[in-house]
Amino acid sequence: MNFREYQEQATQKEYSIQDGDSIADPLLGVVSGAGSLSGEYKKFLRDGLGHQLFTEKVAEELCDILWYLAVFANKLGLDLNLIAEQNLEKCRNRWGW
């Protein structure tokens, strides 16, 4: 699966916390997910190997962030596949790989 396929499938069914056109919902979802992700990392730093579910929790948060990114991009008419390709090109130009 590529990002385009994911974006098409992930945005078939959206929900909104408010009526009307709202890019705030997915944007706040990305920010909230990033906060939760950093919280999991804080627990890992504090508890070390005692935080045994670290990778599972990180994967769960990344899943949520990816979904919100797909919805956000879709609302703006952006293609995540193209964005990923542009990002790699930028990295190649910047770091020569």
Side-chain angles (χ1 to χ4, degrees):
M1 171 179 286
N2 61 41
F3 283 119
R4 184 172 295 120
E5 293 168 335
Y6 176 83
Q7 186 174 354
E8 288 171 1
Q9 291 182 39
T11 59
Q12 286 180 0
K13 182 72 174 165
E14 295 180 27
Y15 77 94
S16 179
I17 58 175
Q18 56 187 341
D19 293 331
D21 180 42
S22 175
I23 61 170
D25 295 346
L27 179 59
L28 293 173
V30 169
V31 173
S32 174
S36 296
L37 185 62
S38 65
E40 289 303 321
Y41 186 62
K42 178 215 41 128
K43 291 175 190 175
F44 178 75
L45 291 175
R46 181 191 63 206
D47 301 338
L49 296 178
H51 187 34
Q52 295 177 352
L53 297 177
F54 176 69
T55 55
E56 290 87 355
K57 294 284 191 176
V58 166
E60 182 180 331
E61 294 304 331
L62 289 174
C63 285
D64 291 347
I65 292 168
L66 183 58
W67 184 82
Y68 282 116
L69 279 174
V71 173
F72 186 68
N74 202 54
K75 286 182 176 282
L76 295 176
L78 299 172
D79 181 334
L80 286 181
N81 215 51
L82 180 60
I83 290 170
E85 291 170 5
Q86 290 170 340
N87 179 255
L88 286 177
E89 183 63 27
K90 180 175 83 172
C91 292
R92 286 185 197 102
N93 291 335
R94 182 175 291 165
W95 296 298
W97 48 267

